[in-house]
Amino acid sequence: MRTRRKHTAAIGRKKTPARTGPDKHRSYAKRPATIANPKRQLVSPYSSTASRWYQEGVRDGEGWRQTKSTAGIPPEEARDAAFEAWSDKYYGGTVTNGIGWKQLLGYGQKYAAGFLGGFADAKPILPVPLRTTAAAIVCATAPLLGLDRVLRELDALPIRQIIVVIYGVEIGELPEELASPRVLFLIWPNVTDPDVGRALGAKLAAADTLLFVDAVKPVAAGALARFLWECDGRADIALNDLSMRSIWFHQRGGIQRLQEFLNASLNRPDLKSNSLSTLPYALSRKALNTIGAATLCVPAKAHAVAIMSKLRIVTGGSAGSSALPSDDRIVAGDHAEAWHEAIAVRGDRLGRPDRRRNRTILDNPDR
Amino acid sequence: MTYKRGRKPARASLLRSKGSKRKAKFALPADQAEVGILSPDTQPITGTTPYVSVIIPVMNERRTLRRVIAEAFRVHPRTEVIVVANGSADGSAAIARKSGAKVLSYAKPLGHDVPRAVGAREARGDVLLFIDADMVIPAAKLRKFVEAVKGGVDVALNDYSGPVRKSVVHGVVLAKHALNALLLRPDLQGASMTAIPHALSRKALDTIGASPLAVPPLAHTMAIREGLKVQRVVHVNVGRLNPLRSKRERRHSLEPLIVGDHLEAIQWWLKHTDSRGGYEDGSRQRWMVN
């Protein structure tokens, strides 16, 4: 009871500034922006900095359009130009240093809205300053419910290629709303396992950062943005931080306990129960090359290999609780493989030698 | 097979003792005198097969030892108490001998849990009960473990999972839970042979062997692998009963050793199954990615 009270007190201390005006009931930046819900904005439209970025976007958009001779510029090209312009702004030092992550996203959103304002059929986008290219991998099976919303979120991000692996089903014709110039559908009716599908997708992806997302439950573009950002030269692997989902140990299930103990036994207790077995996550090209696409078939093993290869592993924020692995036998087997690999690399007892026991006395039956 | 005759009266005496615990210590039913038990405080006459062997590792624990042995003898009318004194310099071995226990003495410390294996080798009972010398657990509680084994359980565990109402638990607590999850025994929660008290059937000892008892998570894993009946029996809060250990824990942590024991157990499991611990791969076609 005491802990609970303490917890609420901590929340209570965090004062949010009082809002007035027509949208006093709306909250900004509390939850990541979804493209499906464009009304939810990251920064207040009344913020002067935000409107300054919007104006700058309008100016830059105009300028970019004038460099193009023809009138009919494809919206795709304008979209890419907006992403590039925002990245140049950030890495050119124009965006104020020291602003928070959500402000950075929010100002980017405003800038892009201004930039693309002159294009009638431009979809809303969420720029993330990136120096490398990114691809997304989605592994889906029938029924493809939720996939359109998943793709809509991905489509708003500076992702060059979206690989959708459709496994386990024969699909005659794909629904039209899924079509996009960036989406590449790979249909493998004879693949029956999503981890294998993801590994195949990873093998085919041609980008520096690979973002793996769930096909059923959409994660907001604003949340996914962080994973891309972390793997853009900062870290090699960005994991979904689910440690706050079940705060208390006794509420966690067997799978989370296996994940937590795998991390602890590999001397990474700071990773808590976060693992490559949970979507979404992002890998750098270096991480994929080190782990190997084939190892991604067994996520827990890939996770152990990543830790042992000294790849930089961070959390890319808490991006909801999309499908956790559910089959206990398969997850237990995957973790068994992870420890099998770990013991092969780090030796017996994973570097925790038993120096205290007199084991010779045990081998000698007559004391 | 004299003990077979003794079984029924023994159970009757156990039932009686539930109502009047203290009486049971002094007043013995007539049928027990018949099979040759004199008094729980006296060493049983040689030649009588004990039903319960209580194994107690001792290392300078004279403060509590006498009471621990007294409780151990009250577990069953035919009980032998085996004290494995190792590295003891405070006269605990003498105390144990005086209290009627069979004493195995070693000048040097044998190391964590090794005395359990050494003691188990000497045990003659049908049920082996493992306790510690620094923690007085009432005989009534200990009896539950013996009764569970009598009722068909092979490994009767303390239903103790450690402090789990936390966000970050102790490394050993995590290891115990994770090992049970890996062995697909989530029902055991954090119960493990790492914690005392626990009781083994003779069958369990014959199947596992005595030596693995020195590495309790290994013995625990072997028992489950061999299909023995492993169950949680009753909750004995060994965390609360033993405040002394937290002091030692601060000085010299046993955590890496015991976490290592769990990894040794996993390693054994992998060696005796396959790289997946014997769990099938579902329908993965890994060859497609190679």
Side-chain angles (χ1 to χ4, degrees):
Chain A
M1 238 9 235
R2 205 197 307 151
T3 2
R4 179 172 291 182
R5 229 178 288 134
K6 229 192 267 170
H7 192 63
T8 37
I11 289 168
R13 270 200 297 276
K14 226 191 243 173
K15 279 258 168 72
T16 42
R19 285 199 195 90
T20 48
D23 57 15
K24 62 179 173 185
H25 298 300
R26 199 196 286 166
S27 61
Y28 299 100
K30 265 195 177 164
R31 275 187 271 173
T34 36
I35 297 308
N37 180 7
K39 273 186 194 161
R40 194 191 283 161
Q41 296 177 51
L42 288 151
V43 288
S44 161
Y46 301 99
S47 141
S48 62
T49 325
S51 55
R52 187 167 64 78
W53 281 116
Y54 182 82
Q55 294 305 330
E56 193 154 341
V58 171
R59 250 197 325 277
D60 290 356
E62 280 303 314
W64 178 77
R65 222 164 349 155
Q66 267 149 34
T67 62
K68 301 277 158 186
S69 49
T70 46
I73 304 167
E76 288 300 312
E77 206 178 308
R79 178 182 175 278
D80 291 347
F83 283 138
E84 206 174 302
W86 182 246
S87 287
D88 289 349
K89 283 242 173 312
Y90 182 82
Y91 288 107
T94 325
V95 183
T96 335
N97 275 331
I99 59 164
W101 166 248
K102 275 172 182 166
Q103 280 164 307
L104 176 62
L105 270 192
Y107 297 156
Q109 192 181 27
K110 286 284 160 195
Y111 177 84
F115 196 101
L116 298 176
F119 296 90
D121 47 357
K123 286 185 218 156
I125 59 167
L126 189 62
V128 189
L130 296 181
R131 291 161 292 187
T132 57
T133 57
I137 290 135
V138 189
C139 202
T141 190
L144 302 173
L145 296 173
L147 185 59
D148 56 332
R149 290 192 296 150
V150 169
L151 294 183
R152 210 183 320 161
E153 296 298 327
L154 289 173
D155 217 22
L157 291 165
I159 291 172
R160 178 194 272 187
Q161 183 187 40
I162 302 169
I163 296 178
V164 180
V165 179
I166 297 177
Y167 69 98
V169 281
E170 291 278 3
I171 289 221
E173 225 167 280
L174 285 158
E176 202 164 302
E177 70 265 20
L178 299 180
S180 150
R182 273 173 300 284
V183 179
L184 172 67
F185 285 98
L186 303 172
I187 298 163
W188 260 301
N190 54 339
V191 170
T192 47
D193 184 84
D195 294 316
V196 173
R198 266 187 286 279
L200 286 167
K203 220 176 167 186
L204 291 167
D208 301 312
T209 302
L210 278 68
L211 177 67
F212 297 80
V213 295
D214 186 54
V216 180
K217 204 176 163 200
V219 178
L224 293 175
R226 184 77 193 198
F227 291 79
L228 297 177
W229 166 265
E230 292 293 352
C231 281
D232 183 45
R234 290 171 187 84
D236 294 312
I237 297 177
L239 298 174
N240 184 5
D241 184 6
L242 284 185
S243 61
M244 292 309 282
R245 200 171 67 131
S246 36
I247 299 167
W248 308 111
F249 182 79
H250 67 278
Q251 296 168 333
R252 289 175 209 149
I255 291 171
Q256 276 174 295
R257 287 167 181 174
L258 285 174
Q259 292 170 338
E260 193 173 347
F261 187 53
L262 181 63
N263 286 332
S265 66
L266 293 170
N267 302 327
R268 284 298 302 268
D270 59 300
L271 293 176
K272 297 169 184 169
S273 58
N274 301 318
S275 161
L276 272 181
S277 2
T278 316
L279 295 171
Y281 63 85
L283 301 182
S284 70
R285 176 57 52 183
K286 183 188 165 196
L288 182 70
N289 290 345
T290 311
I291 298 169
T295 311
L296 283 181
C297 290
V298 186
K301 185 179 170 185
H303 183 76
V305 171
I307 292 178
M308 291 190 292
S309 313
K310 299 267 190 295
L311 292 170
R312 290 167 297 170
I313 305 172
V314 297
T315 53
S318 190
S321 53
S322 56
L324 275 171
S326 54
D327 189 328
D328 283 355
R329 282 185 80 82
I330 290 186
V331 176
D334 285 2
H335 280 81
E337 271 193 69
W339 275 304
H340 189 263
E341 179 70 23
I343 290 163
V345 174
R346 292 204 173 166
D348 292 354
R349 297 170 62 103
L350 298 184
R352 290 165 182 81
D354 173 13
R355 294 198 186 93
R356 297 193 198 180
R357 288 196 183 97
N358 178 352
R359 293 202 186 206
T360 46
I361 205 164
L362 299 170
D363 306 329
N364 177 10
D366 28 80
R367 288 188 279 134
Chain B
M1 297 301 249
T2 42
Y3 63 87
K4 263 200 176 160
R5 208 153 33 90
R7 239 176 210 167
K8 269 201 172 153
R11 192 180 289 136
S13 84
L14 280 174
L15 285 173
R16 212 170 314 152
S17 63
K18 260 184 192 167
S20 52
K21 285 173 201 163
R22 291 211 61 81
K23 244 186 209 168
K25 187 178 176 182
F26 305 106
L28 281 164
D31 48 52
Q32 277 175 38
E34 204 179 272
V35 289
I37 305 292
L38 295 174
S39 137
D41 286 358
T42 320
Q43 192 156 15
I45 291 168
T46 339
T48 311
T49 328
Y51 183 66
V52 179
S53 301
V54 184
I55 292 132
I56 313 173
V58 174
M59 200 171 122
N60 300 328
E61 280 138 331
R62 59 180 290 172
R63 204 174 60 87
T64 42
L65 185 58
R66 206 187 307 267
R67 281 182 291 154
V68 167
I69 294 174
E71 294 295 332
F73 271 120
R74 288 176 51 205
V75 166
H76 190 274
R78 284 189 293 130
T79 297
E80 66 168 351
V81 175
I82 301 172
V83 163
V84 185
N86 62 121
S88 259
D90 66 343
S92 12
I95 292 174
R97 223 168 269 127
K98 225 182 276 171
S99 307
K102 182 178 177 184
V103 179
L104 305 172
S105 213
Y106 295 86
K108 282 186 185 165
L110 296 175
H112 204 65
D113 292 320
V114 175
R116 287 194 215 296
V118 171
R121 270 196 318 222
E122 301 296 321
R124 292 176 300 145
D126 285 4
V127 181
L128 287 86
L129 176 67
F130 295 88
I131 55 174
D132 277 353
D134 58 350
M135 204 181 298
V136 186
I137 299 164
K141 272 252 163 117
L142 297 176
R143 244 173 247 143
K144 298 244 167 65
F145 295 89
V146 176
E147 277 167 43
V149 175
K150 204 188 255 177
V153 175
D154 291 309
V155 181
L157 298 174
N158 181 0
D159 183 9
Y160 174 76
S161 294
V164 290
R165 288 174 182 273
K166 296 171 144 197
S167 58
V168 180
V169 296
H170 191 272
V172 173
V173 175
L174 172 62
K176 291 194 289 184
H177 281 86
L179 182 62
N180 285 334
L182 186 70
L183 302 176
L184 293 185
R185 287 298 305 271
D187 58 299
L188 292 177
Q189 297 174 10
S192 161
M193 284 174 72
T194 305
I196 55 100
H198 60 261
L200 299 184
S201 67
R202 174 56 62 179
K203 180 188 162 196
L205 183 71
D206 291 344
T207 314
I208 302 169
S211 300
L213 298 176
V215 186
L218 175 63
H220 180 90
T221 305
M222 289 170 94
I224 290 172
R225 167 84 184 138
E226 298 297 342
L228 295 171
K229 205 169 167 195
V230 182
Q231 261 177 30
R232 294 185 287 150
V233 173
V234 66
H235 177 78
V236 180
N237 192 345
V238 283
R240 191 181 55 81
L241 282 170
N242 193 352
L244 274 176
R245 282 192 186 168
S246 53
K247 215 191 240 172
R248 179 190 65 192
E249 195 65 9
R250 276 194 293 275
R251 269 207 315 271
H252 198 137
S253 176
L254 281 170
E255 186 179 336
L257 177 77
I258 298 174
V259 170
D261 289 352
H262 284 80
L263 293 164
E264 189 177 333
I266 291 173
Q267 203 169 341
W268 181 90
W269 174 268
L270 294 170
K271 202 177 144 196
H272 288 82
T273 51
D274 55 42
S275 64
R276 283 188 65 81
Y279 304 127
E280 64 273 20
D281 204 2
S283 47
R284 277 190 192 132
Q285 306 119 309
R286 301 187 197 193
W287 51 268
M288 291 192 72
V289 195
N290 287 320

